[in-house]
Amino acid sequence: MGSEPTSNKVLSAWISESLSLLKPRATKWILDPDKDYAALCKLLVETGEFTKLNESEYPNSFWYTSDPLDVARVEDRTFICCKAKDDAGPTNNWLDPVKAKRQLNEILAEVMVDRTLYVVPYLMGPAGSAFSKVGFELTDSAYVAASMCLMTRVGKVALDHLGDDSSDFVRGIHSTGSMDPGSRYICHFPETREIVSVNSNYGGNALQGKKCFALRIASCQARDEGWLAEHMLIVGVTTPWKTKHYICAAFPSACGKTNLAMLVPPPAYREAGWKVETVADDIAWLRIGKDGRLWATNPEAGFFGVAAGTSQKTNPNAIATISKNTIFTNTALDPERDIPWWDGKCEGPKRLFSWKNVDCNAESDKVLSHPNARFTVRASQCPSIDPHWESPEGVPISAIIFGGRRSSAAPLIYESFSWRHGTFVGATLCSELTAAAEGQVGKLRRDPMAMKPFIGYHLGDYFGHWLKVGGSPRAHMPRIFHVNWFRKDGQGKFLWPGFGENLRVIEWMIRRVENSVKALEAPLGMLPYLTDLNALGLDIEAKSILALFKIDPAEWGDDLASQGELLRSLGDRCPPAIWYEHEQLKKRLGFNTVGSRHAVPKEKRY
Ligand code: SAT
Ligand code: MN
């Protein structure tokens, strides 16, 4: 292979062991995120996998269409391979690690004989940060190697962070194999910090820095080391009275995290002095700092965002971000101008190449851009990027938001009573399924902390870990809120305008954090007094505002039953405090409870 760019013996040994399994025709280290990225893109154009976009409209950008059977995360093919099945818990698919390895090795044996293997060293988190972590992805996909150059900090920076003696790195192998969806495996070995994904080339399955490392493996590291790895955006909000608050928000995939992270204040807010800046759009690593506050870093360096619905109107910062140096996957293509097109971007041109690379008449009703079409781009290109987004110690968090996509029942905003109650609110998060994962879009599912597909261990232990982190005597935890931007009226129309106007809701949260407004106690949590939610200039009727905040116990019966079902499925690994909060909620909503089976002391409110 020629000389290796590392003197780390543990790393060299693992790489040579992997090479003897994979038997690649050639091996190429990705060491320079700019030069190597450019070379990979050139190669992908030569092989016909990339179409170069119009250089004057989308400089240095490319269009890529995937295998039509490989367009989203495959949760039923995603496995946690830990020794004891019980440790994976009821929300994960489990495989015995020894058996899984045997099966994967059969798929991987000599799989790269006619392919080039890319060795991608990558760093998750800012350079020079004590919280950042190193991973390696050995992949036979140039598309994956190129995407990793945008999504993570690749190359020398990762090797330097690792140093010569450390064995603390995540070992990842990825192969497109034969692309047989039936033998698709996204496997995680949390005990040995390994990832193997085969037969998929889709972002969430194949870009291992993202969900595989930064959430599934990292959640286990976080449990062992006393921190939190979460499916959250991080946004900085500056008020006209010159305070700055960083807020984390957990939403399931494709529920608007990128839009919230890049929010543009409505004109009156901008004029008043409000400013919103972006730190992360998908993942946050959180630790308690020396001052007892919770501090967050973004482990990623890029955005893998949903194209559908992204427009100058809904997210101008995203549009500016993806105007150059971007990979577009499974959007449609306007062949006259060589520019990408997706639903909600603008009026479609008359002729388009669909995401399946088929020449279509745009007026036909065919799906032209896949609903899970994505853009891949460096975060540094975002006009709203926060000046501290790469700060090694992270940014201090004032509030955590949990949000679902729910047409009914859940109000626009409420505040939890305490860290414990907030943990329960996150634990019982519920949302309609989106196109980001395979499954029936629109179906309601429980998605604890928006992490259901991303927790690398037992859900009950995960809830316990949240309670433990926030319960530490030196912790001064942020307040936890719940939002629902997606409530609809009887006619199926959204009640709340969303997007930039969500800043109105954030303003209320900040005022709560700063203790400058009171709130009204309600069964779910604390609600705003309506006079405290700024609706000035909004085209919204008073009755819609009331409908947004309605809590109808009749709408909560099924929900409470399904909460109980989830908690029961955790057996004795469900912390009693979570059961206790469930029973208290039931009581507050006026449902009969057979006393409290869980004697848990009252917790101090915020
Ligand atoms: O497909 S990804 O997992 O990378 C994005 C998402 O679903 O949140
Ligand atoms: Mn996500």
Side-chain angles (χ1 to χ4, degrees):
M1 181 175 69
S3 72
E4 277 185 354
T6 178
S7 347
N8 186 310
K9 292 203 173 62
V10 185
L11 173 61
S12 294
W14 170 68
I15 290 181
S16 37
E17 186 194 315
S18 307
L19 289 179
S20 53
L21 171 69
L22 304 165
K23 295 262 168 29
R25 186 193 53 190
T27 300
K28 165 121 188 64
W29 281 73
I30 303 299
L31 294 173
D32 183 322
D34 296 321
K35 267 205 215 131
D36 289 328
Y37 173 71
L40 286 161
C41 292
K42 186 165 172 277
L43 175 76
L44 284 157
V45 170
E46 281 161 16
T47 60
E49 289 162 273
F50 270 9
T51 298
K52 170 122 181 57
L53 295 173
N54 184 325
E55 187 59 24
S56 60
E57 290 195 68
Y58 283 89
N60 193 31
S61 298
F62 304 92
W63 182 58
Y64 173 80
T65 55
S66 77
D67 179 324
L69 298 177
D70 187 39
V71 292
R73 279 185 292 101
V74 278
E75 293 179 7
D76 59 335
R77 305 299 310 167
T78 299
F79 299 91
I80 300 300
C81 311
C82 50
K83 284 193 199 113
K85 183 172 184 194
D86 257 5
D87 290 342
T91 51
N92 282 311
N93 301 310
W94 174 84
L95 283 176
D96 172 82
V98 175
K99 286 192 191 139
K101 273 280 173 64
R102 205 178 298 139
Q103 210 160 334
L104 290 167
N105 285 353
E106 267 174 37
I107 298 174
L108 292 172
E110 304 193 7
V111 74
M112 299 186 190
V113 275
D114 53 356
R115 304 179 188 179
T116 297
L117 164 69
Y118 300 98
V119 180
V120 186
Y122 62 96
L123 181 66
M124 299 307 291
S129 168
F131 311 137
S132 296
K133 292 190 179 285
V134 175
F136 286 81
E137 180 161 355
L138 310 183
T139 175
D140 54 14
S141 164
Y143 167 74
V144 164
S147 302
M148 287 294 284
C149 291
L150 302 182
M151 293 302 299
T152 67
R153 297 161 177 91
V154 303
K156 204 174 159 308
V157 63
L159 289 172
D160 289 350
H161 193 96
L162 180 68
D164 285 346
D165 303 314
S166 174
S167 57
D168 184 12
F169 58 91
V170 170
R171 295 140 171 85
I173 296 181
H174 166 252
S175 173
T176 53
S178 60
M179 288 299 278
D180 168 16
S183 332
R184 192 163 284 163
Y185 289 94
I186 320 299
C187 288
H188 307 74
F189 300 82
E191 285 140 354
T192 48
R193 316 291 200 226
E194 289 172 280
I195 303 163
V196 179
S197 55
V198 292
N199 290 318
S200 169
N201 211 25
Y202 169 74
N205 303 325
L207 308 182
Q208 292 184 348
K210 205 168 177 58
K211 300 306 182 351
C212 300
F213 182 164
L215 290 177
R216 295 194 193 97
I217 297 288
S219 62
C220 297
Q221 294 173 312
R223 172 201 56 195
D224 298 346
E225 298 166 10
W227 52 282
L228 300 167
E230 300 299 328
H231 193 205
M232 292 177 176
L233 65 91
I234 311 165
V235 71
V237 183
T238 305
T239 65
W241 51 95
K242 301 283 176 268
T243 54
K244 182 160 188 180
H245 293 277
Y246 288 98
I247 298 174
C248 280
F251 291 81
S253 303
C255 286
K257 281 203 298 299
T258 307
N259 291 341
L260 183 54
M262 298 180 190
L263 183 148
V264 173
Y269 272 73
R270 206 164 35 222
E271 279 154 32
W274 289 88
K275 192 168 175 190
V276 177
E277 289 164 299
T278 311
V279 178
D281 83 325
D282 197 37
I283 300 178
W285 285 358
L286 303 138
R287 304 172 185 259
I288 296 175
K290 287 194 193 79
D291 59 359
R293 286 194 294 170
L294 196 61
W295 290 70
T297 52
N298 176 3
E300 301 190 276
F303 305 130
F304 181 63
V306 178
T310 306
S311 70
Q312 193 57 35
K313 191 158 160 264
T314 60
N315 192 340
N317 282 319
I319 293 291
T321 308
I322 62 181
S323 64
K324 57 184 179 185
N325 311 317
T326 303
I327 302 171
F328 294 90
T329 299
N330 289 345
T331 64
L333 178 81
D334 172 349
E336 308 300 329
R337 279 163 69 189
D338 279 334
I339 61 167
W341 183 86
W342 54 85
D343 293 286
K345 182 189 185 195
C346 54
E347 208 172 296
K350 289 275 178 287
R351 186 180 160 221
L352 280 169
F353 277 36
S354 77
W355 70 276
K356 287 188 179 171
N357 209 346
V358 175
D359 194 346
C360 297
N361 181 334
E363 280 161 337
S364 73
D365 58 358
K366 290 189 196 77
V367 179
L368 297 162
S369 164
H370 190 277
N372 196 35
R374 298 268 171 168
F375 51 78
T376 312
V377 67
R378 283 200 181 128
S380 55
Q381 280 186 197
C382 178
S384 60
I385 201 76
D386 190 86
H388 303 292
W389 84 282
E390 297 196 279
S391 147
E393 66 276 15
V395 293
I397 300 303
S398 298
I400 291 177
I401 303 175
F402 289 113
R405 178 185 281 273
R406 295 197 62 166
S407 325
S408 62
L412 177 64
I413 168 91
Y414 63 91
E415 181 189 326
S416 63
F417 301 124
S418 63
W419 178 261
R420 185 178 73 201
H421 177 237
T423 300
F424 164 78
V425 168
T428 50
L429 194 68
C430 204
S431 190
E432 290 154 21
L433 262 182
T434 67
E438 299 210 323
Q440 200 189 331
V441 172
K443 194 171 165 244
L444 207 61
R445 80 158 169 185
R446 303 224 80 90
D447 190 351
M449 275 81 168
M451 280 285 281
K452 180 179 176 285
F454 308 125
I455 302 164
Y457 60 102
H458 195 291
L459 182 61
D461 295 354
Y462 170 78
F463 292 162
H465 182 61
W466 261 74
L467 294 169
K468 191 168 146 206
V469 169
S472 133
R474 68 185 190 90
H476 178 67
M477 299 307 271
R479 291 187 189 210
I480 298 178
F481 296 85
H482 183 282
V483 302
N484 177 24
W485 316 133
F486 302 96
R487 198 165 188 174
K488 290 180 178 169
D489 66 12
Q491 281 70 52
K493 212 175 128 255
F494 288 115
L495 285 161
W496 180 249
F499 302 105
E501 307 298 353
N502 292 338
L503 188 53
R504 296 167 186 270
V505 176
I506 290 174
E507 175 182 1
W508 181 75
M509 287 179 212
I510 289 178
R511 290 186 189 275
R512 286 294 294 160
V513 167
E514 294 185 354
N515 289 316
S516 64
V517 286
K518 293 212 165 17
L520 182 70
E521 186 162 343
L524 296 179
M526 305 298 287
L527 292 180
Y529 284 100
L530 292 186
T531 44
D532 288 332
L533 183 78
N534 178 13
L536 218 72
L538 268 190
D539 183 19
I540 183 167
E541 291 176 51
K543 72 171 198 291
S544 299
I545 300 265
L546 290 175
L548 275 165
F549 286 100
K550 188 163 169 222
I551 299 172
D552 179 359
E555 284 188 301
W556 282 87
D558 288 351
D559 202 288
L560 287 166
S562 110
Q563 286 185 14
E565 218 173 282
L566 174 78
L567 303 192
R568 260 190 308 280
S569 78
L570 305 179
D572 59 7
R573 287 168 97 147
C574 182
I578 299 292
W579 267 119
Y580 176 82
E581 290 293 349
H582 168 74
E583 282 156 2
Q584 294 299 306
L585 171 63
K586 229 166 148 176
K587 234 198 253 170
R588 290 194 302 268
L589 283 165
F591 288 84
N592 282 334
T593 49
V594 207
S596 182
R597 291 181 298 132
H598 299 273
V600 175
K602 267 199 149 157
E603 198 186 38
K604 209 172 130 269
R605 294 193 169 195
Y606 294 124

